[in-house]
Amino acid sequence: MKFYIGLVLVLFPVGLIRAQTSSAPASLTARVKAIAAQHHGDVALFAENLKTHETVALSPDMPVQTASVIKLAILYEALEQVREGKAHFEDKITLTAADQVPGSGVLLMFDAPLSLTLKDVLTMMVVMSDNSASNLAMDHLGIENINRRIAMLGLKDTYLYKKVFQPVPAGVTMPADQKKFGLGKTTAREMASLMTKFATCELAEPGAVARDGDAALCGVALKMLHWQFYRSAVPRYLDGLPGATGDSIANKTGSLNAVRNDVAAISTKNGLVVISCFTYNNKDQSWGADQEGELTIAKIAREIISSWSPDGLSAWSANVKGVASPGAAH
């Protein structure tokens, strides 16, 4: 297994210059490195304590397959378009039989045509990682707009290539690396920076000011991320920690046969923590409850939270004021 481990001073590539970070304790570094070394595959990680700015990283700038984690970029573009008045959560979207694709989600099972709202579609895309809903969101928002936003945020190695389980449209030429990455590509560091924008509600562009409605928009997105159905990776061991509530963890997963990913923001007793972890080239390509990639991510998350917040988790509202949360148990 190949990986590079480093502790870094970070300037987040999202237009906001952050304070200088300090290195994680050597003991945490050693424990995370040991877990990754036991994994039968490769690991990329970037984690930050947003309060202390401690970081820990393994191959944080290695481009990797996103699988469904790229749906965070789709959700972010939706917030920005609603914020700009170009889209509305109440927009009507029709699911047709041609839109129903296999894989994760439940819309494939519904009778079509079916009328949905943009908010319905985004909720299904995030909570159930519904592929049909994801494609509807891409159609409504525009893949080119999503990639333009990604570039605007300074995410140089993040890209959404195409719709899920749909052929490339006639006349559209895919980038040369699409076959390698599939649906999308990113790095652990870049996806951590995107999750940080959700967690801290940073919707204003560099140099612009926040708007009165930003907190409500972030609340809508965070409610979806709090209700994430797939909890076998980052939340696996954290859900049972002291202080954990139904809104302590906001996360988005992504899975392929040889890939397991999870990107999460965790509300702890010691502030917000972002963990962005990708396992790939996994020897274990099973889909059971004890899949090695998910277990590896879960163990790494447990070590990080145990080090940075030994007293456990807290409700989201304890760390993020003014942003609505669902306040309901999973």
Side-chain angles (χ1 to χ4, degrees):
M1 190 206 77
K2 300 177 182 178
F3 60 80
Y4 163 78
I5 180 163
L7 299 172
V8 295
L9 300 180
V10 180
L11 292 181
F12 268 78
V14 295
L16 294 178
I17 299 178
R18 298 188 176 279
Q20 186 175 6
T21 60
S22 59
S23 60
S27 58
L28 173 60
T29 300
R31 293 198 302 272
V32 169
K33 182 177 180 180
I35 294 169
Q38 292 296 315
H39 180 68
H40 296 89
D42 296 310
V43 178
L45 167 75
F46 185 85
E48 182 182 8
N49 183 323
L50 299 185
K51 179 179 179 181
T52 66
H53 298 294
E54 293 174 274
T55 64
V56 61
L58 311 172
S59 302
D61 301 310
M62 174 66 70
V64 293
Q65 290 177 285
T66 61
S68 289
V69 165
I70 195 63
K71 295 169 185 178
L72 283 174
I74 302 172
L75 179 62
Y76 185 82
E77 175 63 17
L79 294 190
E80 290 290 8
Q81 288 198 24
V82 171
R83 187 174 187 260
E84 296 164 3
K86 297 177 181 178
H88 306 84
F89 287 133
E90 300 79 20
D91 288 349
K92 295 297 183 183
I93 299 175
T94 300
L95 174 77
T96 69
D99 296 317
Q100 294 174 305
V101 295
S104 55
V106 297
L107 287 182
L108 176 64
M109 307 171 194
F110 290 4
D111 292 334
L114 177 67
S115 179
L116 301 163
T117 66
L118 175 60
K119 186 178 178 182
D120 293 334
V121 165
L122 295 171
T123 300
M124 296 299 296
M125 178 185 75
V126 175
V127 176
M128 297 293 296
S129 203
D130 193 291
N131 289 332
S132 301
S134 302
N135 288 346
L136 291 174
M138 285 183 238
D139 284 339
H140 195 74
L141 302 170
I143 292 177
E144 67 283 357
N145 292 328
I146 297 165
N147 282 321
R148 188 179 301 115
R149 187 78 60 181
I150 288 170
M152 187 183 296
L153 295 177
L155 308 182
K156 298 179 179 179
D157 289 306
T158 300
Y159 196 84
L160 170 63
Y161 293 99
K162 58 187 289 293
K163 290 164 64 174
V164 190
F165 292 120
Q166 292 281 25
V168 177
V172 175
T173 301
M174 285 285 104
D177 60 0
Q178 187 274 326
K179 290 184 178 180
K180 176 181 179 181
F181 293 104
L183 179 63
K185 72 173 177 179
T186 194
T187 70
R189 190 197 306 273
E190 289 191 354
M191 202 50 68
S193 73
L194 186 57
M195 178 58 84
T196 298
K197 290 182 75 66
F198 287 107
T200 58
C201 199
E202 299 170 8
L203 300 182
E205 300 299 333
V209 296
R211 299 178 184 175
D212 290 340
D214 287 355
L217 283 176
C218 291
V220 171
L222 286 167
K223 182 174 182 178
M224 300 173 190
L225 293 165
H226 287 311
W227 284 355
Q228 170 67 234
F229 179 79
Y230 301 104
R231 310 192 64 77
S232 298
V234 168
R236 179 186 288 253
Y237 302 125
L238 305 187
D239 275 339
L241 290 181
T245 68
D247 66 352
S248 294
I249 301 172
N251 72 302
K252 183 71 196 78
T253 60
S255 302
L256 299 168
N257 286 340
V259 170
R260 291 297 188 278
N261 308 325
D262 202 355
V263 180
I266 303 107
S267 178
T268 78
K269 297 288 188 182
N270 193 34
L272 288 174
V273 171
V274 170
I275 298 175
S276 175
C277 194
F278 295 76
T279 66
Y280 54 105
N281 296 325
N282 295 339
K283 182 177 180 181
D284 182 1
Q285 299 187 18
S286 67
W287 291 87
D290 294 323
Q291 204 278 337
E292 188 189 29
E294 294 177 350
L295 285 171
T296 294
I297 295 171
K299 292 173 184 176
I300 288 173
R302 179 172 59 187
E303 290 295 345
I304 291 171
I305 297 302
S306 295
S307 177
W308 288 348
S309 184
D311 292 332
L313 306 189
S314 67
W316 192 265
S317 58
N319 284 308
V320 181
K321 303 297 183 182
V323 176
S325 63
H330 292 293

